[in-house]
Amino acid sequence: MQSDARPVSFDARPLVEPVDRTAVREFARRMRDSGAVRSAFSAGSSIVAVIIGAVVFVMFGSVFLTMAASLFSAFLSIGSDSAAAPWLLGLGAFLPVVIVGGVLALIIVAIVRGTAGANERRYRLDRFAAANGMTYMPSLQAPTLPGMIFGVGGSRASSDLVRGRQPRFVEFGNYRYTTGSGKNRTTHKWGYVAIKLDVPLPHIVLDATSNNGLFGASNLPASFDKDQRLRLEGDFDQHFSLYCPAGYERDALYLFTPDIMARFIDSAAALDVEIVDDWLFFYGKRDFSTVDPATWAWLFSAVAATLDKLAQWSRWRDERLRTDAAATTPSLGSAGDDTTAAGIGDPIGSSPGDPLPFAAPAGLLTPPPGVAVPGRRLTRRFSWVTVVVVVGFLLFWLLGPSGLFGALLFR
């Protein structure tokens, strides 16, 4: 397959050129005043700092006290007649305080430097967005997008959103969510691109093979029935596993013509792709909205390679909606029609049952935009790995030496 996709030109200077520190601080102040970002020393952050300080004290306090007690014992053994004893006693009493103060100072410096780095990143991305006709938003809690990564876990939040609205809405962002709790709590990091489509389309997933894990396991947070896997021509299957709802194979072939497949291979082979409702998503397990010009060049190329082919997708219609409408819409002039029952006369020169002159011939009406229920979502596969792990844990708990029945068996 050959692709005619070309690199996209954009202004990357705000990402790399030196910045005015005063302008960065002023930008950060405006963001705080508008509520777009929180101060590093806000009430919530102060509570976090207190908790961190308490943890540090608990972890290292016993060590410092032990050290101080040892020093005092050693100094007292010197004897009161030694001229250096007072100095050594003072040093022993002051040394733990110095160490604790030093640790706390390092923590404060790390917080300040981290805040300064985040302010500079936001400032660069804001100027970068403006220079390229887009807008910037520092964060968004619990985005309401329909993609598969946005409905998993808790503490969901997008950050560093860069949005464009012409020729259609496109959003670049980083996304985080958490799963598990306690020691098993895990934070999942994603980057995404969300593109608004003209019409709803069937739910289709392109699982990139280049980012799969051990033994080809998908990195996506959802898995789908193998019966929905559609194999396409050429070498497309070497780069993507395409899933579409059962019965929508012809629709997927209409959407993924050879030229579109070539563009995905050339520009988005390292990205997972999802089409759901009237959205197209690119996913990656890394931050997308960064101050790295190479990352933006890659993402812009992937989006540009797709945008000029979306006009064909906007013409797609689900024929199942035409069938459903025909099955539920009564024909004109049928029994029970109020107009006929009222005795209103027929038009001159027409006979009962003739079609109205402005009625479209049957079969020529285009189905409305939309997707029938069977095509709106892929059927997800139940993970047998999870079943095996849960069953193994239950068996160990029941039959192990310390388990419920194990205590009786090994008594």
Side-chain angles (χ1 to χ4, degrees):
M1 297 181 181
Q2 298 294 326
S3 172
D4 56 353
R6 293 180 294 275
V8 178
S9 61
F10 63 97
D11 187 357
R13 289 175 298 175
L15 300 176
V16 295
E17 64 186 7
V19 296
D20 183 352
R21 298 299 174 187
T22 303
V24 172
R25 288 192 293 269
E26 176 61 22
F27 172 79
R29 185 191 62 78
R30 292 200 307 270
M31 290 290 102
R32 290 193 301 270
D33 292 346
S34 65
V37 297
R38 293 189 302 174
S39 171
F41 300 99
S42 61
S45 300
S46 299
I47 294 174
V48 172
V50 170
I51 294 174
I52 293 175
V55 171
V56 171
F57 179 78
V58 171
M59 292 176 60
F60 298 102
S62 60
V63 177
F64 296 150
L65 292 176
T66 302
M67 182 188 304
S70 300
L71 288 173
F72 274 115
S73 299
F75 296 151
L76 291 174
S77 66
I78 296 175
S80 59
D81 55 343
S82 173
W87 294 96
L88 293 176
L89 289 173
L91 178 62
F94 188 64
L95 184 59
V97 177
V98 172
I99 295 175
V100 173
V103 172
L104 294 177
L106 289 175
I107 293 175
I108 293 174
V109 169
I111 293 175
V112 172
R113 289 178 62 89
T115 302
N119 289 337
E120 180 178 328
R121 185 189 72 252
R122 297 186 186 112
Y123 176 74
R124 288 184 179 276
L125 288 173
D126 182 75
R127 294 181 62 241
F128 169 73
N132 292 277
M134 299 182 289
T135 59
Y136 171 73
M137 177 183 295
S139 63
L140 177 64
Q141 298 297 315
T144 57
L145 294 170
M148 70 175 80
I149 69 172
F150 301 101
V152 183
S155 302
R156 307 169 189 169
S158 295
S159 62
D160 292 333
L161 293 86
V162 175
R163 293 171 169 174
R165 299 187 179 276
Q166 295 296 333
R168 65 178 63 242
F169 180 87
V170 180
E171 177 177 290
F172 304 84
N174 307 322
Y175 183 69
R176 303 285 188 276
Y177 66 88
T178 60
T179 55
S181 60
K183 294 182 179 180
N184 297 321
R185 185 180 179 88
T186 303
T187 299
H188 302 267
K189 178 169 67 174
W190 289 88
Y192 70 92
V193 180
I195 304 174
K196 196 74 165 66
L197 303 176
D198 296 321
V199 297
L201 296 176
H203 191 195
I204 295 176
V205 171
L206 275 63
D207 186 0
T209 59
S210 62
N211 56 28
N212 285 343
L214 189 64
F215 304 118
S218 174
N219 68 327
L220 292 173
S223 56
F224 306 98
D225 282 347
K226 293 296 184 182
D227 293 341
Q228 300 171 116
R229 170 80 185 275
L230 176 63
R231 300 189 180 277
L232 300 179
E233 65 179 23
D235 57 354
F236 190 81
D237 285 344
Q238 299 177 17
H239 299 86
F240 294 100
S241 298
L242 188 149
Y243 296 89
C244 68
Y248 281 80
E249 292 80 6
R250 292 182 59 185
D251 303 274
L253 293 175
Y254 172 84
L255 298 173
F256 287 91
T257 56
D259 59 329
I260 292 180
M261 287 191 289
R263 295 206 172 195
F264 273 92
I265 292 174
D266 292 342
S267 303
L271 299 170
D272 297 301
V273 184
E274 181 180 21
I275 300 171
V276 56
D277 298 338
D278 52 353
W279 289 92
L280 168 66
F281 295 99
F282 293 120
Y283 302 129
K285 298 217 69 172
R286 51 167 289 190
D287 285 345
F288 280 179
S289 185
T290 71
V291 293
D292 177 28
T295 298
W296 286 106
W298 170 49
L299 294 175
F300 285 161
S301 295
V303 172
T306 307
L307 286 184
D308 62 353
K309 294 296 182 179
L310 295 184
Q312 175 179 331
W313 289 8
S314 67
R315 295 191 292 271
W316 178 85
R317 294 294 185 272
D318 193 341
E319 294 295 329
R320 298 157 191 81
L321 295 179
R322 184 210 307 267
T323 304
D324 294 344
T328 58
T329 303
S331 59
L332 294 173
S334 60
D337 189 306
D338 291 340
T339 303
T340 305
I344 299 178
D346 294 324
I348 298 175
S350 65
S351 60
D354 287 344
L356 296 175
F358 50 79
L364 293 186
L365 288 174
T366 302
V371 182
V373 173
R376 293 176 186 174
R377 291 296 183 272
L378 286 162
T379 303
R380 298 199 176 190
R381 182 179 61 187
F382 193 75
S383 176
W384 288 104
V385 175
T386 303
V387 175
V388 171
V389 171
V390 172
V391 171
F393 174 78
L394 290 176
L395 290 176
F396 177 80
W397 181 74
L398 292 173
L399 303 179
S402 60
L404 181 61
F405 297 108
L408 300 176
L409 294 175
F410 293 97
R411 177 176 296 178

